[in-house]
Amino acid sequence: MTQTKLIIITALFFTLFSNFSFFNNVLEVYPFEGMNIIYIFSITLLLFTFMVFLFTLLSSRYTTKPILIVMLIISSLTSYFMNCYHVVIDSDMIRNTLQTNLNESVDLFNIKIVIYLIFLGVIPSFFLYKTELKLSSFKKELFIKLKTLLLSLFIIIIILFSFSKFYTSFFREHKPLRYYTNPTYWIYSIGDYISKTLKSDKIVLKPIGVDAKIDNKDKKRKLVIMVVGEATRADHFSLNGYSRETNPLLKKEHIINLPHVSACGTSTAHSVPCMFSIFERNNYSYKRGINTENVLDVMQHTNQIEILWRDNNSDSKGVALRVAFENYKTTKNNTICDVECRDEGMLIGLDKYIDERKNKDIIIVLHQMGNHGPAYNKRYTKVFEKFTPVCQTNQLEECSKESINNAYDNALLHTDYFLSEVIHLLKNYDQTHKTSMIYMSDHGESLGEHGLYLHGLPYFMAPDTQTHVGALVWFGEHNNKNINPTKIYSHDNLFHTLLGLFDIKTEVYKQEMDMFR
Ligand SMILES: [Zn+2]
């Protein structure tokens, strides 16, 4: 078989079998009727021709087969996630995937993913591998390559111009549609990710708030526990009016619920560094975040605050690189582990930590496993299984909406317990310290509404469920702080709120952003 023929067959395979999600979304916007039928055929031809162009561009005597095989394997997996979870493989998703640890990947593993891998990846790859390529002389191959490139480019231009009005609307008004093309969009996203991450100059950390100092005559030390939640959406908190009781223990405490908090991003990798950064959502980027000190660094500049980050999620996403960090996903540190290490394990030994630093201000950040999906049923022990039946598989689309909600809400009950335990711990220090707890989730979660699952959609197209997060605060008896809970807050407020909480004076502090001003 000639190289060109192999490329055409592979492109045809991708168009027909790996783009279910794309065509599904196209058909939602353009129902199969009237002129739309012609448009849809033209989109199909355009996608196919573009792939031929792209693959030809990447082809050479030695690269054609390996590149196509890698594309088939990866695309079989992206097909699975796009079809079943309706996720989009953008540069943020690639960053998330690369930062995912083995445990989280095991969580995603199931039989359906293997079926996708075999039928859309391994079997076509095997045939492709076995196909013998008929190669001509270098000169002739180059000539054929140029001919194919020009011809496909010509066809692309013809299609675009014949239906220019339609394509203007397709590319401008329905921008998200192309995010579902496979493998073209994930290839673009990898490029986008590389240019955003690696192309950026070596990390030169820009110090901020080096003038930070605490001047207070206060005899009482401050003790703050900042809990970074995982994937809790605001509308599933009974504190926010959810019909089920998902905050039974917290409602007994004098907490101040914050019903209107929006996240900086829709994924852990985006939201967590953004929350602690000086940048606001509009001007935050991964590069700016990683190249600039965060609020923990500013606290460090005072030389008067003890900072500890304990992590039962993946890691601190670069936030705790310069402060004390303890991994609680391992049985080495976490003493409460069964099928996985539990969030409450992070509380063990904190008494000792605090007692050893009696005359210091302390901030402890606890990064929870919380409601990490899709295996919500693994996020809690049997005692929290109040809502049944629960979805027992990570193939969410196989479960009823009710059973997914049940598993998710049971996991919320576990967080309710965890946060109430944090409060109990802080109460022990009420007489000696000014205590407070801040809880904010990193992002929300989709639970099957409009066929969407999990999180990570680009912000502008993400539903409220992914961006409107659970958040609340608690103050000890001797900590007179004010907050207007009805106000609209966001992750942008955290940086200044934490500085304010420790009475830190610095040029980077903006009082109007402090939730407790
Ligand atoms: Zn997260």
Side-chain angles (χ1 to χ4, degrees):
M1 191 183 286
T2 63
Q3 202 154 231
T4 314
K5 201 168 167 191
L6 185 74
I7 285 172
I8 288 175
I9 292 174
T10 314
L12 198 64
F13 179 87
F14 276 125
T15 313
L16 296 178
F17 300 110
S18 305
N19 277 283
F20 175 79
S21 199
F22 170 67
F23 286 114
N24 212 17
N25 279 287
V26 168
L27 286 172
E28 249 174 53
V29 180
Y30 306 101
F32 201 69
E33 61 195 20
M35 263 312 270
N36 283 354
I37 298 176
I38 297 170
Y39 293 150
I40 289 160
F41 275 114
S42 90
I43 292 176
T44 315
L45 186 62
L46 183 69
L47 181 65
F48 164 75
T49 318
F50 182 69
M51 283 192 231
V52 172
F53 178 80
L54 183 73
F55 300 162
T56 309
L57 203 62
L58 299 171
S59 71
S60 78
R61 191 166 290 253
Y62 303 106
T63 57
T64 308
K65 272 192 184 183
I67 286 179
L68 290 179
I69 286 173
V70 168
M71 281 186 194
L72 280 165
I73 299 289
I74 297 179
S75 293
S76 69
L77 299 174
T78 55
S79 269
Y80 169 78
F81 287 107
M82 289 200 291
N83 292 354
C84 297
Y85 294 140
H86 294 236
V87 299
V88 168
I89 316 293
D90 61 2
S91 59
D92 266 350
M93 187 59 85
I94 290 181
R95 175 165 299 119
N96 276 317
T97 312
L98 295 177
Q99 293 187 359
T100 297
N101 56 35
L102 191 65
N103 275 333
E104 290 173 286
S105 314
V106 171
D107 252 14
L108 288 169
F109 188 80
N110 61 45
I111 187 72
K112 203 160 166 184
I113 213 170
V114 177
I115 292 172
Y116 267 81
L117 184 65
I118 289 173
F119 283 94
L120 292 181
V122 176
I123 292 178
S125 293
F126 177 76
F127 282 110
L128 200 147
Y129 175 73
K130 282 281 167 197
T131 308
E132 237 171 88
L133 274 188
K134 215 171 71 196
L135 289 160
S136 323
S137 67
F138 178 77
K139 229 167 131 186
K140 204 171 167 205
E141 283 293 324
L142 192 69
F143 176 71
I144 297 170
K145 187 170 168 171
L146 281 174
K147 211 172 73 180
T148 316
L149 283 175
L150 284 175
L151 187 66
S152 45
L153 199 61
F154 181 69
I155 297 173
I156 290 169
I157 291 167
I158 294 279
I159 298 172
L160 290 178
F161 274 90
S162 314
F163 304 102
S164 61
K165 218 170 143 192
F166 165 74
Y167 281 106
T168 315
S169 114
F170 179 82
F171 285 115
R172 278 209 199 134
E173 283 147 56
H174 302 291
K175 202 175 159 202
L177 283 178
R178 77 185 101 138
Y179 297 174
Y180 294 96
T181 57
N182 197 12
T184 39
Y185 196 69
W186 68 255
I187 294 172
Y188 164 80
S189 298
I190 286 180
D192 191 31
Y193 170 78
I194 291 172
S195 79
K196 275 181 182 159
T197 313
L198 304 180
K199 204 188 81 189
S200 65
D201 308 317
K202 260 188 231 138
I203 293 174
V204 189
L205 190 67
K206 185 180 167 235
I208 54 165
V210 283
D211 61 334
K213 59 175 194 296
I214 302 171
D215 58 332
N216 58 20
K217 295 104 211 152
D218 220 333
K219 276 276 161 336
K220 274 207 167 76
R221 298 290 84 205
K222 297 184 181 78
L223 173 59
V224 176
I225 297 187
M226 166 77 214
V227 179
V228 180
E230 175 57 53
T232 64
R233 48 191 271 184
D235 66 341
H236 273 239
F237 271 30
S238 54
L239 292 167
N240 290 325
Y242 186 48
S243 56
R244 281 169 159 181
E245 186 54 79
T246 48
N247 309 110
L249 300 170
L250 282 171
K251 81 169 180 193
K252 290 187 208 155
E253 305 293 342
H254 290 289
I255 58 111
I256 302 164
N257 179 48
L258 304 177
H260 311 294
V261 176
S262 61
C264 178
T266 61
S267 66
T268 312
H270 190 97
S271 278
V272 173
C274 182
M275 284 167 92
F276 289 87
S277 88
I278 189 171
F279 300 108
E280 292 169 17
R281 193 176 75 73
N282 315 334
N283 52 26
Y284 172 83
S285 70
Y286 171 75
K287 193 179 153 190
R288 296 184 87 175
I290 206 80
N291 282 304
T292 314
E293 287 188 340
N294 59 55
V295 68
L296 299 184
D297 298 306
V298 178
M299 289 183 177
Q300 191 110 285
H301 292 320
T302 66
N303 281 323
Q304 283 170 278
I305 305 175
E306 291 283 321
I307 306 166
L308 172 67
W309 184 297
R310 283 190 172 177
D311 208 300
N312 193 37
N313 199 292
S314 33
D315 58 48
S316 78
K317 306 294 173 195
V319 179
L321 291 178
R322 297 166 292 277
V323 301
F325 176 91
E326 290 172 353
N327 176 10
Y328 267 71
K329 273 188 96 71
T330 142
T331 48
K332 251 191 351 212
N333 289 330
N334 197 327
T335 49
I336 307 183
C337 302
D338 38 82
V339 291
E340 68 183 23
C341 287
R342 301 296 174 188
D343 288 335
E344 55 267 37
M346 291 192 284
L347 303 177
I348 308 290
L350 282 186
D351 283 323
K352 188 166 170 275
Y353 179 88
I354 296 164
D355 292 339
E356 283 171 359
R357 290 160 179 79
K358 267 206 173 77
N359 303 314
K360 291 266 201 166
D361 287 342
I362 297 172
I363 179 163
I364 298 163
V365 183
L366 303 176
H367 190 192
Q368 275 189 277
M369 189 58 171
N371 275 46
H372 197 291
Y376 308 117
N377 65 311
K378 283 166 80 180
R379 298 291 100 83
Y380 54 85
T381 49
K382 208 74 187 164
V383 283
F384 298 99
E385 199 171 279
K386 193 175 148 198
F387 308 111
T388 51
V390 298
C391 175
Q392 298 285 358
T393 157
N394 55 17
Q395 282 166 261
L396 293 177
E397 74 288 358
E398 307 271 286
C399 288
S400 68
K401 191 163 186 328
E402 192 204 351
S403 68
I404 295 170
N405 276 316
N406 287 341
Y408 183 85
D409 291 345
N410 289 330
L412 282 181
L413 287 174
H414 178 233
T415 284
D416 175 69
Y417 165 76
F418 171 68
L419 293 178
S420 75
E421 285 299 296
V422 173
I423 292 172
H424 288 160
L425 184 135
L426 287 174
K427 278 180 179 170
N428 295 332
Y429 295 93
D430 229 10
Q431 299 309 313
T432 49
H433 291 70
K434 282 188 169 179
T435 54
S436 38
M437 176 187 82
I438 302 179
Y439 167 79
M440 263 186 201
S441 180
D442 58 348
H443 50 76
E445 188 87 332
S446 283
L447 294 170
E449 299 86 5
H450 312 293
L452 295 173
Y453 294 94
L454 304 175
H455 53 263
L457 274 189
Y459 208 88
F460 76 93
M461 58 190 278
D464 203 47
T465 53
Q466 292 192 20
T467 57
H468 183 189
V469 295
L472 55 100
V473 293
W474 175 90
F475 298 117
E477 255 181 73
H478 302 284
N479 201 2
N480 303 316
K481 286 284 173 190
N482 284 318
I483 180 166
N484 177 359
T486 59
K487 261 191 79 174
I488 292 168
Y489 298 108
S490 74
H491 281 169
D492 295 348
N493 293 103
L494 188 68
F495 181 91
H496 306 280
T497 304
L498 287 174
L499 293 180
L501 207 45
F502 284 91
D503 297 317
I504 295 173
K505 303 273 180 292
T506 161
E507 54 172 11
V508 293
Y509 171 69
K510 278 193 213 156
Q511 197 186 33
E512 70 275 14
M513 294 290 287
D514 183 346
M515 298 194 293
F516 312 143
R517 70 177 182 275

